[in-house]
Amino acid sequence: AQRVTQPEKLLSVFKGAPVELKCNYSYSGSPELFWYVQYSRQRLQLLLRHISRESIKGFTADLNKGETSFHLKKPFAQEEDSAMYYCAPRLPSGNTPLVFGKGTRLSVIA
Amino acid sequence: NAGVTQTPKFQVLKTGQSMTLQCAQDMNHNSMYWYRQDPGMGLRLIYYSASEGTTDKGEVPNGYNVSRLNKREFSLRLESAAPSQTSVYFCASSHNTAGDGTQYFGPGTRLLVL
């Protein structure tokens, strides 16, 4: 069963426009949620985790338990944000590997 | 520190051939993982090793075997390669599976099976 959904395969926005990459999950309980990013010719790396409530490179993500969502947002997109973004929940038990979504490719147009 | 290293970077196989993908980490991590990345399918977990001496199946284990050789090394073997195994393979490691969720990825191995 699909546990994490990233509905957009590709998202194109203009530089300076707001961007929102959607992620919905279908776990019961309280999973931990992460966003990973893969820039061109670079390794996949952790962008942010919901438990830290942090802002990394201007990105934030709020866990909405009611909507079971963890959308990634940035108010003003930059060209260097162009990358592949993966939402990754971890089952509520905690002692299991991450499960990655299918990913959304963000393209920021100058 | 090199982090997570993978060899080879690129490989072409004929259907039925076998090969082993190597992965090593120098961060003293307990847990290691093998993923495959395919267009439109995202990252799918093949096998993982929560700690030295243990291995577990992931989402797509069929056609693969793994060996946790020691704490540093985790290899992935294709006994009889099939075209459906054409993919980019990523190895990753983390302190533990129950840690803070930070996984460190290798650069990937691009495999083409003809």
Side-chain angles (χ1 to χ4, degrees):
Chain A
Q2 183 71 22
R3 297 296 188 97
V4 54
T5 303
Q6 293 181 252
E8 303 127 334
K9 287 186 179 180
L10 174 65
L11 183 63
S12 296
V13 300
F14 286 103
K15 178 181 174 181
V19 61
E20 180 180 68
L21 292 91
K22 292 183 169 57
C23 173
N24 290 90
Y25 62 91
S26 58
Y27 297 101
S28 58
S30 299
E32 298 174 71
L33 287 136
F34 308 85
W35 276 99
Y36 275 74
V37 61
Q38 187 176 26
Y39 300 103
S40 179
R41 291 184 292 278
Q42 292 189 28
R43 304 183 185 203
L44 194 68
Q45 58 188 285
L46 176 68
L47 180 62
L48 55 80
R49 56 176 73 87
H50 91 272
I51 198 169
S52 300
R53 296 183 177 274
E54 56 201 346
S55 174
I56 304 293
K57 299 185 178 182
F59 284 98
T60 58
D62 292 322
L63 176 60
N64 186 322
K65 292 185 180 181
E67 296 180 359
T68 61
S69 68
F70 187 54
H71 302 330
L72 184 67
K73 301 176 183 179
K74 185 170 182 177
F76 307 103
Q78 302 299 315
E79 289 179 76
E80 56 265 29
D81 296 328
S82 295
M84 192 75 176
Y85 291 81
Y86 292 96
C87 180
R90 183 161 64 184
L91 291 175
S93 67
N95 193 22
T96 55
L98 300 177
V99 175
F100 287 84
K102 294 186 177 183
T104 296
R105 181 167 296 283
L106 175 64
S107 176
V108 181
I109 306 164
Chain B
N1 289 347
V4 180
T5 57
Q6 293 182 234
T7 55
K9 290 184 179 180
F10 181 72
Q11 184 72 47
V12 179
L13 291 178
K14 294 181 180 179
T15 297
Q17 286 185 318
S18 62
M19 80 161 294
T20 299
L21 283 67
Q22 306 287 353
C23 174
Q25 51 90 12
D26 61 3
M27 296 173 281
N28 201 35
H29 284 165
N30 292 307
S31 303
M32 298 184 74
Y33 315 85
W34 276 106
Y35 294 90
R36 59 178 291 174
Q37 184 184 46
D38 302 289
M41 300 299 291
L43 278 168
R44 292 181 293 171
L45 183 65
I46 304 171
Y47 271 94
Y48 69 101
S49 171
S51 60
E52 187 179 356
T54 68
T55 60
D56 284 287
K57 294 179 180 179
E59 181 185 356
V60 288
N62 291 346
Y64 305 95
N65 285 300
V66 290
S67 295
R68 184 73 184 268
L69 304 170
N70 47 56
K71 192 171 186 179
R72 289 188 65 249
E73 299 173 289
F74 188 39
S75 63
L76 179 71
R77 183 161 178 84
L78 287 71
E79 290 291 352
S80 178
S84 61
Q85 294 178 304
T86 293
S87 187
V88 181
Y89 291 84
F90 289 99
C91 178
S93 71
S94 66
H95 185 63
N96 286 305
T97 54
D100 66 0
T102 305
Q103 292 187 358
Y104 297 85
F105 283 80
T109 293
R110 190 172 296 272
L111 177 66
L112 174 62
V113 183
L114 302 175

